Amino acid sequence: MDFQEAVSEFISFAGRIDSKDHRSKFFQWLSENIKDLQNDESEAFSGTINVEVELKGIAAELRKRLPLDATLSSETIICPLVGPNSDCNATNTIHVDAFLYDDDLLDSLVEDGKLSRSYCKDCGSKNTSPLNFVSHSASIPRLRVIFQEILPDLTGKVVLDIGSRLGPVLYGAYYYSNAARIIGIEINQEFVQLQSQVVQGKGFTDRIEVIHGDICQRADILKAANVIVLNNVFEFFVSPENHVKIWQFLRREINPGTLLVTIPSLEEEFAALNKGRVVFVVISMPILP
């Protein structure tokens, strides 16, 4: 393709972008990344773009198999009683998975009337409030930051994702790190099957293993891990009392020196539990934000 052909292709591509707002966002992204795009030696940049394309492809396939909120009737979601999300309830909260839906897709859903950003406090009035958006997965940008910027080189290491759900942490670890073994443990059988289908379909079985089970029954997996990821895994699924019991188990069984990636941070999580007057044992471990 010569210069004139490239210009024609670019203009044609830009013309196919759905709306003026999306075109504006595309050109903003282009202006912010043009120096990297001009650098033919920027293999890392090209690799990052390719990985994002692969991950977005997985997300697109998962969207076809799941309801809009990516929750299942076979799971029980509990609105937190303590902490920063204690104001969440069935009326003012919607579940929008950050791996499945990035900001652009969210904007499209709102524009198409499939999703609202606010709810009516008095039916039929203009007294509205913003909805709480809750995600139980890490977004693609967050996955890249975790595995390429925060964590050290994971060559030969074992990564464990507790409550792996749709599997984004597993896929992110596969693409963004050199971890030798990547394990996801998930208590919901339907989510295990969904992850297993992706892992087998994408040929990830050489490094990824998905296990159906309760982490409190699998101390062996905890002891094998060098890095443990916990992304919003307990707050919406267990009572504060059980939340504490799980962390007490983790504290007993996790090997010293294990790196923890916790979202929210342990400080936030424990502060919320203590505010709920739950007695807790202070944990001292290497913690990554």
Side-chain angles (χ1 to χ4, degrees):
M1 181 185 297
D2 61 22
F3 169 72
Q4 289 299 334
E5 289 173 332
V7 171
S8 296
E9 285 289 330
F10 180 82
I11 293 173
S12 175
F13 168 78
R16 294 196 301 272
I17 298 175
D18 289 340
S19 67
K20 182 178 180 181
D21 181 52
H22 288 169
R23 280 194 296 274
S24 176
K25 289 179 179 178
F26 169 74
F27 284 118
Q28 181 180 349
W29 174 87
L30 188 64
S31 67
E32 293 171 352
N33 292 280
I34 191 66
K35 290 183 179 180
D36 289 311
L37 289 168
Q38 288 175 318
N39 183 3
D40 291 335
E41 304 302 319
S42 183
E43 295 181 5
F45 177 80
S46 299
T48 297
I49 294 298
N50 291 335
V51 167
E52 288 184 5
V53 170
E54 289 292 328
L55 290 173
K56 286 183 177 181
I58 294 173
E61 286 301 314
L62 289 173
R63 286 197 297 271
K64 297 176 184 177
R65 308 182 197 181
L66 292 162
L68 183 60
D69 63 3
T71 63
L72 301 176
S73 59
S74 58
E75 64 177 336
T76 301
I77 296 178
I78 304 170
C79 292
L81 300 176
V82 296
N85 290 315
S86 58
D87 62 334
C88 292
N89 57 53
T91 301
N92 66 11
T93 303
I94 55 175
H95 301 268
V96 181
D97 193 278
F99 179 69
L100 301 184
Y101 299 96
D102 60 19
D103 289 342
D104 288 340
L105 282 175
L106 278 179
D107 289 343
S108 295
L109 290 172
V110 172
E111 289 175 6
D112 294 341
K114 296 178 180 178
L115 193 68
S116 176
R117 294 188 182 276
S118 60
Y119 73 102
C120 179
K121 298 170 70 175
D122 303 307
C123 188
S125 79
K126 295 182 180 180
N127 183 20
T128 62
S129 288
L131 282 163
N132 297 314
F133 280 37
V134 174
S135 173
H136 302 298
S137 295
S139 65
I140 293 174
R142 173 169 280 180
L143 292 171
R144 184 188 62 78
V145 169
I146 289 173
F147 290 107
Q148 290 198 328
E149 298 182 17
I150 294 178
L151 288 168
D153 180 19
L154 298 181
T155 300
K157 304 298 184 182
V158 177
V159 174
L160 170 63
D161 181 25
I162 297 177
S164 51
R165 201 169 177 84
L166 305 181
V169 170
L170 309 183
Y171 318 139
Y174 191 94
Y175 281 122
Y176 286 129
S177 83
N178 293 318
R181 189 180 176 203
I182 304 161
I183 305 169
I185 184 165
E186 170 58 49
I187 202 167
N188 184 286
Q189 179 66 56
E190 287 187 82
F191 281 133
V192 170
Q193 292 173 347
L194 198 62
Q195 293 173 82
S196 297
Q197 289 169 0
V198 173
V199 170
Q200 292 169 12
K202 299 294 289 185
F204 294 159
T205 53
D206 59 327
R207 294 166 59 205
I208 294 180
E209 178 184 6
V210 182
I211 297 172
H212 177 222
D214 181 343
I215 191 59
C216 291
Q217 305 298 322
R218 296 300 306 267
D220 58 314
I221 300 175
L222 287 172
K223 292 183 182 300
N226 303 109
V227 175
I228 298 176
V229 180
L230 302 104
N231 184 83
N232 196 23
V233 67
F234 302 132
E235 186 182 22
F236 281 84
F237 302 97
V238 298
S239 67
E241 290 75 18
N242 286 333
H243 195 161
V244 168
K245 289 178 181 178
I246 293 170
W247 271 109
Q248 289 173 333
F249 171 79
L250 296 178
R251 179 64 185 92
R252 288 195 306 270
E253 302 298 338
I254 293 175
N255 288 330
T258 302
L259 296 178
L260 303 183
V261 180
T262 63
I263 304 165
S265 69
L266 291 186
E267 291 86 353
E268 290 178 276
E269 206 160 349
F270 296 165
L273 293 173
N274 288 332
K275 193 174 293 183
R277 297 182 180 178
V278 179
V279 178
F280 195 71
V281 178
V282 175
I283 287 183
S284 177
M285 290 181 177
I287 301 170
L288 296 173

